[in-house]
Amino acid sequence: MHGLAVLDLLARTLATLVVAAWLPAPTLLAQGPVQVPLNYNWNGIAHAGETGQPDAPNGFRSISDRALDFTGGVPTDPVLSRYALVGTAGALDMVHLGNRNTVDNGNWAFDSSPNSNAVGTQPSWLSNPNQTGSQTTNLTTPIPLGLQSQATVLFHVSNGGGSCDVTFSFQSGATATRTITAPDWFNGAFAGRDSVDRADAGNNLGLVEATLDLSAFAGEALTRIAFGNRSNTNAGYGIYAVNVVPAPEPATETRIALNYNWNGIVHAGEAGLPDAPNGYRSIADKGLDFRTGVPATPLLAGFDLVAAPGSPDLVMLGNRNAVGSAQYPFDPLPDGDNLGTQPAWLPNPDLTGPQTTTLATPVLLDGSSTASFLYQMSHGGGAFDVTFTFATASITTTLTASDWAGGSYLALDDVDRAQTFTMLRIEDATIDLSPASGLVLTAITFGNSSNSNGSCAILAATVTGCLSCSNSGGPFAYGGGNGPTMSTSATGALGCPLDWQVQGATPGTLLGRFALSFRATGIQLSSVFPACSGTIHVDMPLTAVAFVDATGTATFSLPAQTDPGFCGLAIIAQYAELVPTSCPVLLSDALSITIGN
Amino acid sequence: MHSRSRSVTDVLARLALAATALSAALAAQNQPPAAPRFTEPPIANLVLNPSDVHMETAPFADPNPGDQHAASDFEIWTVSPSQRVWAGLGLTGFEKIHAHLGDGTFENSHTGWHRLFANTQFVLRARHKDDSGVPATEWSPWTSVPFATGDAGIKLPMLLEDVDDVPAPTWTEASNPSAAIDLPPGFPSSMLRIETDTRWQLLRIDGTTGPGNRVTNPPGLPVHRAIRVVIEAGNVGQNLQLPASDLRGFEHSCASFVIHLPAIDLPPFSRAEFWVSDHGGTYDATGSPFVPTFTNLARSVPLPWEPLQDGFTLDVVASNLRMPVNIAFVPNPGTGPLDPKFYVTELYGTIKVVTNNGTVGDYATNLLNYTPSGAFPGSGEQGLAGIAVDPTSGDVLVSHLWRTGGQNNPRITRLTSQNGGLTSSSRQVILNMLGEPQGQSHQISALEIVNGELFCHMGDGFNFQTAQNLGSFRGKILRMDLSGAPIVTNPFYNGGAITARDYVYCYGVRNPFGGALRAADGRRYCVENGPNVDRLTQLVPGRNFGWNNTNASMFNFALHAWDPSAGPVSIAFVQPQTFGGSDFPAELQDRAFVTESGATYAQGEQTIGKRITTFAFDMNGNVTNGPIPFVEYTGDGFATAAALAAGPDGLYFSEFYRDAMTTGPTAMGARILRVRYGDPLDCDGNGLPDSCELASGAADCNGNGVLDVCDLQNGTSHDFDGNGVPDECDPLFASVDEISLSTGGTVDFDLDAGAGNAGQLYRLLGSMTGTAPGTQFGSLTLPLNSFNDPWFQLTSTVFSPTILQGTIGQLDAAGRAQAAIVVPPLPLSLLGITFHHAYLVTDPATQPLFTSNAVPLTMAP
């Protein structure tokens, strides 16, 4: 693509986005865990101003006789810092599972009226002290789950500790229940308060961070979280936060053109011709029946399978002359039986060695990269290895398969004659390549079968990731701001989204704009507004409204572009906002992202 | 104007030329390497294992073509205060791009530590150095990545990125390490594989039709990941049945790992999956296939303790004990295999004796006249506690409770033996503290004999007022002679009718479980349990330590306060005066070691407790560093550290509880373990098994199967010339490096110029003026100075064949020869002078071919 045409394309994209940016709900790239806003039902953390007032009508109450001490704010701690914890007084700040009137054998039942002891009265925010039933949080925005999805729960349990259940509900209606367990909360790493609702300085308390694997629900969307079923009915359970690792943002999917070495799927016109010199041959004694086309199933929809006859359509791993205890060796001459002769497209039936596909377009792995395969294996199934080759490293993984018989895909039996109907299984597997982010995948190799009596067919493969450029790319900070900062989670890789995030803008302002350009300049803002510092680095920019949230943060995102012509292109962004001060322009640092590896 | 214009043109032209030249010069100059890029940690703000921080960078990059990666610096800083706490500087070899904590040195706030502080924010930074030799530009800029550490006592996954081919991994039966696991073949074959949580393969083992397995070991991965083990039954004609087994291997730099697999019984076509903890325990992964979880134990680590300092090992010296509280070594043990080596008190009234050959027997039983029947933890925590051995008689003194009049009163009993200390034959109560009832925990405890005086630690009996009452034995440290009579110099001794007051050495203590003498300052130190705060104190005569039922009072005179409580139980000093220092290295001598038991009967690894820590002191008895974790619990069971004593060959401690869950805390099955310095499989104490180092090419020039560095350490070889190579591997070997002027002597030389010099001529020469700059022979330098050097002249001329024997001659077919210098008695004026000798090899035409190293010879009186 001509350079100018690329610029035109991107400009059109930018212009579209500028328009789109006026619309509500600009998307944020979800890279880290989602901090789930729990449906708090209890004010049970002692914040500044909440201690020493056991009978405050609307104040703090312990879930038993103690509480976390946040009187100095949320403690600085690497675990706590990952969660959205309530740092202010006078608000519900936890999910309580228990009954304050019965916890610890009823020692801390609410007073009926205020008195001078440490036990308070039932607060106005608590309609019913019995919170032993399931405590549910409905998510206003469902969280999509992926292969790396997990939930972490931050909680503790009084009076000897115990377990409770966490039930996750999904958009499909499915649910999953997991049990979390904590020891007694006494003597942990976090400052604590005692004296029940008086919340005097007390012994430290412990918190447990339970991790629950949700990867089995990849593809689902989480809609609800509920806590219930206490194992210790004498204890109070305090659940402070839940984080969920969502599915990564979808990246560009590359359907790999595998280096097929076998015509082993029966396409139209290929059945009934066991000795056709250039025709179909089974990898063992059966073959998938694609005579009416590739079956329209969700499993196969994400792959490119060969739909036409007369060409190799799978990667065979095995030896047709040895498979099935050597029951299906090629005939030396055409003889009309079910066993065909060695076809012209097969120079050597022994394909037990490594079978390699070199990628025509290398894939730059990113933080969401996966590789998926369709395959099947005859005669008992087994395992084989897939090796991903990069410029500087390699990764091998083992895929396993059950015997191919008895699946849900139409197939044809009778070895190379392909005549009798049968059913076969197609296996699928997805491998997480995200930890190899930054590596460029150049080849995929299959080998090392664990079943010397079976044949393996690899039908298709896809890899998600960014695309590789020949130039290096990435963000570059120009500076130039007079307050707000600019950052990005993007690497600049082709085929992956780009984003710019400004922090330090005026919360909720409607007067902020993102300015983007393809060229850099260096105009002192003081040349326009003498009272201002800062440098304008965007040259002849397009602008988009910035939706600044309550924390002074706004994000501008560009969708993934896959055209190699974009390689090397730099896009510079800067945020500007009108403010009623002597310098009327709040200007962020400028940040450019060059598209490349 | 024209000339002016030409002049400007000339100036510009000259400037252009100058700029061109400058550009060329700049191009020729060395440019710094590119700043490293961290591949581990791959992103900022990860929470890492404080004991195991992988620091990896992408390969070296440099704008100067041809520049090579010479070295790297790695540093770890705390964020607050901003202080460097670990540094691995000038790392070379594989460590240039992959460093571990063991590759550097802890410093500042982490001095003496072997892991990072838990739950702390850090910044890791690294830089690369090129081989240009240009100091100003040879280093890259620093690259930094922040991270935090998690809890120290949280079970973490084992992280691997490779399994070394050499030495090859092994998979053997747990009960018989010489029996290899041989997987059966089938269609498909049975299989074991180690893979990451992302399913990236690290090792694959398949059954074969022949003996042995087929091993697939792919190249290393680009990043460390949590690992799991998958065993596929395949279809082998029957269930796949395997015994409990251990899978051992090495990662780069000979870092070893062991995976403890359970016994397997799998139907055909099924599989078992296990997560692996950082210490090798395995856990069922069925319920959580992608996130490592350690809930369902499959097989625990056999010895759930780990020394944190390289060079130390652990072993079990006694088993099947029941709540072992204290250990006392026999001060002057016999040498026979059945002579008593140490005694152990068990809480419920038995004294065990352990002999030199490890036999465990009952020395005495029924030291309690009641059965502690209370809850555990709770009122069941009482009974027999302290123990000391009279160094003169070999009698055993113990402290325990004894029920009298419905109360459990403390007493000290002396036990004697008629059979060399193997069993007790009689007992005598030397101090009976009637009317001083004690119950759970806060009871009579530690005993120690110091210079013939017996110290006894007394809990407050759960009555804090007793600690401030000099009329009570409770809440005190008592001092008496070995007959039980108070020492008259005790600070409150007032003669007359002997009362508790006469025994008091110091007071105001709550639950002083442990005490020990530090010989370096002659003071005893005490570890004491408070309600929520524990303390380490120096016991000063007459001092009131102020226990008044408050946590605040536990800070009184505390050299260290555990806040929150860690449950310190015993204290022991490793010191030269106690069994010669227990074979510990010099830097750990005179240090205190403390068992921290943590919460009662707590299961699994713990953030607080279940470890041994160490403290360093200054000359005045102030703690200068500590507590530094020394040994930590790494298992999944209930064992915790209680008793502690410095023995002749290491530091001994007890697991107070049986590690495995059986019938609860009072079950039999606890053990005594020994921490020893000097791993027989790691002769240089660098934490890397010798076998792996040798297989990886570590120097063993003499081929004796021992690392050169160990040959030199243990005296098998010497290195007179100080070149770090055993002399027998140098071209010139000398039998001695010192000779007596008064008596003279003979120096034997072995010359080995290599087979390539076979048959050539050699000349052994000497110098008494040093080795540098040496003497030039053609293009070769003989490392002997010759200018104005009389010894060089004398050896050149072979002035005396009697003295210089065989110093000139012809090398044999292997390029070897022998020579000797017979040194007669010489005048003392030569005292301290060092001569050097080396040889020159020439061809018959006197063309120099080879020069040897120089070996020293110093003149002694």
Side-chain angles (χ1 to χ4, degrees):
Chain A
M1 179 178 276
H2 190 274
L4 286 176
V6 169
L7 286 178
D8 284 346
L9 175 59
L10 194 61
R12 281 199 300 277
T13 305
L14 278 174
T16 304
L17 284 164
V18 166
V19 174
W22 286 93
L23 301 173
T27 55
L28 283 176
L29 292 178
Q31 298 295 330
V34 175
Q35 296 172 332
V36 177
L38 290 178
N39 183 21
Y40 290 145
N41 61 6
W42 196 273
N43 175 359
I45 300 175
H47 294 92
E50 289 188 321
T51 61
Q53 307 165 69
D55 292 316
N58 202 32
F60 155 88
R61 295 294 188 278
S62 172
I63 59 171
S64 180
D65 61 340
R66 299 170 184 279
L68 288 174
D69 180 1
F70 281 14
T71 54
V74 179
T76 303
D77 177 84
V79 174
L80 299 189
S81 66
R82 297 198 286 267
Y83 293 92
L85 299 170
V86 176
T88 54
L92 302 182
D93 49 27
M94 64 155 72
V95 174
H96 170 229
L97 187 63
N99 185 339
R100 168 59 192 269
N101 281 345
T102 61
V103 69
D104 196 10
N105 298 311
N107 278 331
W108 318 117
F110 287 124
D111 286 339
S112 56
S113 59
N115 56 26
S116 59
N117 70 7
V119 177
T121 54
Q122 183 173 327
S124 56
W125 46 259
L126 182 64
S127 57
N128 182 354
N130 183 356
Q131 296 180 323
T132 56
S134 182
Q135 304 298 313
T136 300
T137 293
N138 291 310
L139 278 65
T140 53
T141 304
I143 301 173
L145 302 179
L147 275 177
Q148 295 179 323
S149 286
Q150 62 182 47
T152 53
V153 183
L154 189 67
F155 75 112
H156 60 193
V157 182
S158 75
N159 299 91
S163 304
C164 70
D165 289 346
V166 187
T167 300
F168 300 94
S169 299
F170 307 106
Q171 219 155 31
S172 68
T175 62
T177 298
R178 300 283 184 269
T179 301
I180 57 176
T181 303
D184 186 90
W185 63 357
F186 193 74
N187 251 1
F190 300 95
R193 293 256 157 185
D194 62 15
S195 306
V196 202
D197 302 325
R198 190 180 302 284
D200 294 334
N203 203 77
N204 276 12
L205 294 181
L207 279 170
V208 168
E209 185 184 38
T211 300
L212 304 171
D213 183 2
L214 297 177
S215 59
F217 300 93
E220 293 273 16
L222 178 65
T223 57
R224 181 188 300 161
I225 302 173
F227 302 93
N229 195 21
R230 294 177 304 157
S231 69
N232 183 352
T233 56
N234 197 42
Y237 290 58
I239 299 122
Y240 296 94
V242 174
N243 285 356
V244 174
V245 177
E249 287 286 312
T252 301
E253 180 180 276
T254 301
R255 299 186 179 196
I256 307 297
L258 290 175
N259 185 20
Y260 292 137
N261 59 9
W262 196 276
N263 177 356
I265 299 175
V266 185
H267 293 94
E270 290 186 322
L273 302 167
D275 291 318
N278 204 30
Y280 157 85
R281 294 294 186 278
S282 172
I283 60 170
D285 59 344
K286 303 177 180 69
L288 288 166
D289 181 3
F290 281 12
R291 288 180 295 173
T292 59
V294 178
T297 68
L299 178 65
L300 306 190
F303 295 87
D304 276 347
L305 291 126
V306 175
S311 63
D313 47 27
L314 57 83
V315 176
M316 155 75 157
L317 196 60
N319 186 340
R320 164 63 190 268
N321 284 343
V323 70
S325 303
Q327 292 181 72
Y328 318 109
F330 288 123
D331 283 337
L333 294 169
D335 59 3
D337 69 4
N338 288 347
L339 303 182
T341 54
Q342 184 172 326
W345 47 259
L346 182 63
N348 183 353
D350 183 359
L351 297 171
T352 54
Q355 305 296 318
T356 297
T357 294
T358 300
L359 275 61
T361 304
V363 176
L364 175 63
L365 301 186
D366 71 353
S368 64
S369 284
T370 58
S372 298
F373 299 90
L374 294 179
Y375 56 98
Q376 55 187 189
M377 206 162 183
S378 77
H379 291 89
F384 63 98
D385 289 347
V386 183
T387 297
F388 303 91
T389 301
F390 311 100
T392 56
S394 66
I395 289 168
T396 297
T397 188
T398 305
L399 303 185
T400 56
S402 302
D403 186 272
W404 65 353
S408 59
Y409 289 89
L410 270 178
L412 293 165
D413 209 333
D414 307 320
V415 200
D416 303 324
R417 183 174 301 282
Q419 197 164 39
T420 309
F421 282 109
T422 185
M423 302 297 281
L424 286 180
R425 184 191 315 277
I426 297 178
E427 308 270 0
D428 72 301
T430 297
I431 302 301
D432 184 359
L433 296 176
S434 61
S437 173
L439 299 182
V440 177
L441 177 65
T442 58
I444 298 175
T445 300
F446 308 98
N448 204 14
S449 170
S450 71
N451 188 352
S452 60
N453 197 45
S455 286
C456 180
I458 298 98
L459 305 169
T462 66
V463 177
T464 59
C466 307
L467 299 176
S468 182
C469 294
S470 59
N471 62 292
S472 59
F476 176 80
Y478 278 92
N482 59 17
T485 58
M486 188 76 91
S487 61
T488 182
S489 64
T491 62
L494 182 70
C496 282
L498 307 178
D499 69 282
W500 288 262
Q501 185 176 70
V502 63
Q503 289 180 302
T506 302
T509 184
L510 299 175
L511 303 174
R513 296 285 188 279
F514 283 103
L516 298 99
S517 73
F518 303 121
R519 292 189 309 189
T521 184
I523 301 169
Q524 297 300 314
L525 190 57
S526 59
S527 65
V528 183
F529 302 105
C532 292
S533 61
T535 305
I536 300 169
H537 285 290
V538 288
D539 186 25
M540 299 179 64
L542 296 165
T543 65
V545 170
F547 293 91
V548 181
D549 68 14
T551 66
T553 301
T555 299
F556 184 84
S557 298
L558 274 175
Q561 303 296 319
T562 57
D563 195 309
F566 286 126
C567 290
L569 190 68
I571 305 168
I572 308 163
Q574 202 162 12
Y575 168 86
E577 176 190 327
L578 293 177
V579 289
T581 60
S582 57
C583 170
V585 177
L586 198 58
L587 188 67
S588 79
D589 293 332
L591 182 75
S592 79
I593 303 175
T594 300
I595 297 176
N597 292 9
Chain B
M1 186 67 188
H2 180 74
S3 66
R4 179 186 173 85
S5 181
R6 189 168 55 199
S7 169
V8 170
T9 304
D10 289 346
V11 169
L12 287 175
R14 282 199 294 273
L15 279 173
L17 281 173
T20 304
L22 182 60
S23 298
L26 285 173
Q29 285 178 349
N30 184 62
Q31 302 296 307
R37 177 174 66 83
F38 277 108
T39 55
E40 290 198 46
I43 59 174
N45 299 316
L46 288 181
V47 179
L48 305 178
N49 183 340
S51 299
D52 189 18
V53 177
H54 293 279
M55 298 167 268
E56 286 193 37
T57 69
F60 174 81
D62 193 296
N64 297 107
D67 273 10
Q68 300 297 312
H69 192 176
S72 294
D73 285 349
F74 287 85
E75 295 181 348
I76 296 175
W77 292 59
T78 49
V79 173
S80 179
S82 180
Q83 180 187 69
R84 193 174 78 178
V85 296
W86 178 92
L89 303 179
L91 299 182
T92 58
F94 183 74
E95 286 71 25
K96 285 185 296 193
I97 58 168
H98 186 166
H100 300 85
L101 293 177
D103 299 322
T105 305
F106 289 91
E107 59 187 18
N108 292 315
S109 64
H110 281 59
T111 298
W113 280 64
H114 312 292
R115 64 163 165 81
L116 296 175
F117 292 169
N119 297 313
T120 303
Q121 300 280 354
F122 294 93
V123 171
L124 165 66
R125 67 177 196 166
R127 61 177 182 170
H128 288 170
K129 180 186 180 184
D130 67 28
D131 62 349
S132 65
V134 182
T137 56
E138 63 187 353
W139 284 102
S140 75
W142 290 97
T143 297
S144 299
V145 58
F147 70 96
T149 48
D151 283 339
I154 296 296
K155 194 169 295 299
L156 295 167
M158 180 180 284
L159 305 177
L160 290 177
E161 68 173 7
D162 195 16
V163 176
D164 286 349
D165 290 309
V166 179
T170 62
W171 185 20
T172 57
E173 293 180 15
S175 61
N176 181 8
S178 62
I181 300 292
D182 194 352
L183 285 174
F187 301 126
S189 288
S190 54
M191 173 198 298
L192 173 144
R193 59 181 187 271
I194 306 176
E195 62 186 22
T196 65
D197 58 338
T198 51
R199 308 301 190 259
W200 301 353
Q201 189 188 103
L202 287 154
L203 187 74
R204 177 173 151 178
I205 300 173
D206 290 70
T208 62
T209 51
N213 300 316
R214 183 167 61 87
V215 177
T216 305
N217 192 349
L221 301 172
V223 66
H224 282 84
R225 299 291 301 185
I227 65 156
R228 41 185 252 140
V229 173
V230 179
I231 298 176
E232 306 262 5
N235 182 19
V236 298
Q238 58 185 15
N239 280 13
L240 175 66
Q241 293 180 319
L242 301 173
S245 58
D246 294 325
L247 183 54
R248 301 170 190 275
F250 297 92
E251 208 188 10
H252 332 292
S253 307
C254 292
S256 62
F257 65 86
V258 184
I259 299 170
H260 303 285
L261 292 161
I264 295 293
D265 186 359
L266 288 174
F269 299 111
S270 64
R271 75 175 64 162
E273 305 168 81
F274 305 101
W275 291 112
V276 184
S277 74
D278 53 351
H279 296 99
T282 45
Y283 305 80
D284 185 8
T286 308
S288 182
F290 288 94
V291 176
T293 53
F294 304 102
T295 306
N296 300 315
L297 179 68
R299 184 165 162 235
S300 63
V301 291
L303 195 55
W305 299 89
E306 180 173 291
L308 300 180
Q309 188 169 342
D310 287 344
F312 285 87
T313 59
L314 271 173
D315 62 346
V316 177
V317 293
S319 302
N320 209 28
L321 304 173
R322 189 183 189 199
M323 292 181 290
V325 189
N326 271 301
I327 299 169
F329 278 90
V330 177
N332 304 298
T335 56
L338 292 177
D339 288 333
K341 185 176 184 179
F342 63 90
Y343 296 93
V344 181
T345 48
E346 294 182 327
L347 186 64
Y348 283 179
T350 298
I351 304 170
K352 296 286 189 182
V353 58
V354 181
T355 62
N356 286 329
N357 68 357
T359 303
V360 180
D362 286 345
Y363 173 77
T365 58
N366 299 319
L367 268 296
L368 303 182
N369 65 339
Y370 67 101
T371 302
S373 57
F376 206 107
S379 58
E381 295 178 273
Q382 58 177 292
L384 173 64
I387 185 167
V389 181
D390 183 341
T392 306
S393 64
D395 289 353
V396 174
L397 296 98
V398 293
S399 65
H400 57 113
L401 299 180
W402 192 263
R403 185 176 294 273
T404 306
Q407 293 180 326
N408 296 339
N409 292 299
R411 58 169 48 177
I412 301 173
T413 298
R414 172 190 284 269
L415 298 98
T416 57
S417 171
Q418 300 295 323
N419 61 355
L422 291 176
T423 57
S424 162
S425 57
S426 64
R427 28 185 108 169
Q428 173 196 6
V429 177
I430 65 169
L431 181 61
N432 192 0
M433 292 168 267
L434 291 170
E436 300 270 359
Q438 293 177 321
Q440 64 191 69
S441 307
H442 297 212
Q443 66 157 81
I444 187 170
S445 53
L447 294 180
E448 186 180 25
I449 298 171
V450 177
N451 298 325
E453 298 173 344
L454 177 66
F455 287 84
C456 172
H457 291 212
M458 291 285 290
D460 70 354
F462 265 114
N463 181 349
F464 73 93
Q465 290 93 343
T466 63
Q468 296 298 321
N469 177 5
L470 288 173
S472 170
F473 282 105
R474 287 169 288 177
K476 310 292 186 309
I477 306 299
L478 310 176
R479 184 170 65 153
M480 67 202 79
D481 64 23
L482 301 189
S483 71
I487 303 296
V488 297
T489 57
N490 278 343
F492 302 104
Y493 183 87
N494 58 8
I498 298 302
T499 64
R501 180 185 185 92
D502 298 305
Y503 285 88
V504 174
Y505 183 73
C506 52
Y507 66 109
V509 294
R510 178 181 184 264
N511 198 0
F513 273 136
L517 172 75
R518 182 169 184 261
D521 56 26
R523 296 284 193 178
R524 293 187 74 248
Y525 292 78
C526 173
V527 289
E528 181 184 359
N529 283 203
N532 303 124
V533 177
D534 307 324
R535 64 182 165 185
L536 165 66
T537 54
Q538 185 188 70
L539 297 177
V540 175
R543 174 171 286 175
N544 177 2
F545 286 89
W547 163 239
N548 64 0
N549 208 31
T550 67
N551 279 319
S553 65
M554 293 301 292
F555 290 96
N556 292 335
F557 304 107
L559 298 172
H560 172 75
W562 285 269
D563 180 14
S565 170
V569 178
S570 296
I571 180 171
F573 286 91
V574 168
Q575 50 196 348
Q577 297 84 352
T578 305
F579 295 115
S582 304
D583 291 340
F584 272 31
E587 69 268 21
L588 293 184
Q589 296 295 320
D590 298 322
R591 285 196 175 206
F593 292 80
V594 174
T595 49
E596 297 178 8
S597 63
T600 302
Y601 205 55
Q603 184 171 14
E605 296 177 59
Q606 297 288 310
T607 303
I608 298 172
K610 295 183 86 160
R611 51 178 51 85
I612 299 173
T613 55
T614 180
F615 291 85
F617 294 78
D618 65 15
M619 292 300 292
N620 298 317
N622 300 306
V623 169
T624 57
N625 203 354
I628 301 171
F630 180 64
V631 173
E632 290 188 326
Y633 183 81
T634 60
D636 299 275
F638 295 88
T640 189
L644 185 70
D649 49 5
L651 186 66
Y652 288 60
F653 71 99
S654 74
E655 294 174 322
F656 188 62
Y657 307 110
R658 178 189 174 110
D659 192 46
M661 165 62 94
T662 49
T663 57
T666 62
M668 294 187 71
R671 301 177 290 192
I672 305 293
L673 299 100
R674 171 174 51 188
V675 191
R676 307 179 76 172
Y677 182 67
D679 183 347
L681 303 177
D682 176 22
C683 67
D684 54 350
N686 64 355
L688 309 177
D690 300 338
S691 58
C692 179
E693 290 193 87
L694 289 167
S696 302
D700 175 24
C701 69
N702 55 17
N704 66 350
V706 178
L707 295 170
D708 285 350
V709 66
C710 297
D711 278 336
L712 296 173
Q713 277 175 7
N714 62 27
T716 302
S717 301
H718 53 66
D719 182 24
F720 294 154
D721 55 359
N723 65 355
V725 177
D727 287 345
E728 66 269 28
C729 301
D730 287 331
L732 179 59
F733 168 87
S735 59
V736 296
D737 67 341
E738 187 178 276
I739 208 150
S740 167
L741 290 167
S742 58
T743 62
T746 298
V747 188
D748 294 314
F749 296 96
D750 291 332
L751 291 66
D752 184 352
N757 289 305
Q760 305 292 1
L761 304 177
Y762 71 88
R763 175 172 295 196
L764 181 72
L765 300 166
S767 171
M768 57 189 299
T769 57
T771 59
T775 302
Q776 207 68 25
F777 290 91
S779 62
L780 301 178
T781 301
L782 186 70
L784 296 173
N785 294 342
S786 55
F787 183 69
N788 283 339
D789 187 300
W791 185 237
F792 190 90
Q793 300 304 321
L794 289 169
T795 53
S796 297
T797 58
V798 194
F799 74 103
S800 167
T802 307
I803 293 174
L804 304 176
Q805 298 180 0
T807 58
I808 292 179
Q810 186 176 18
L811 298 172
D812 65 15
R816 295 181 180 140
Q818 280 80 44
I821 297 179
V822 181
V823 181
L826 294 169
L828 284 175
S829 58
L830 294 174
L831 182 64
I833 290 179
T834 297
F835 293 75
H836 288 87
H837 298 91
Y839 66 91
L840 171 72
V841 178
T842 65
D843 64 12
T846 70
Q847 286 299 311
L849 299 173
F850 179 79
T851 57
S852 76
N853 57 305
V855 294
L857 182 66
T858 300
M859 300 297 113

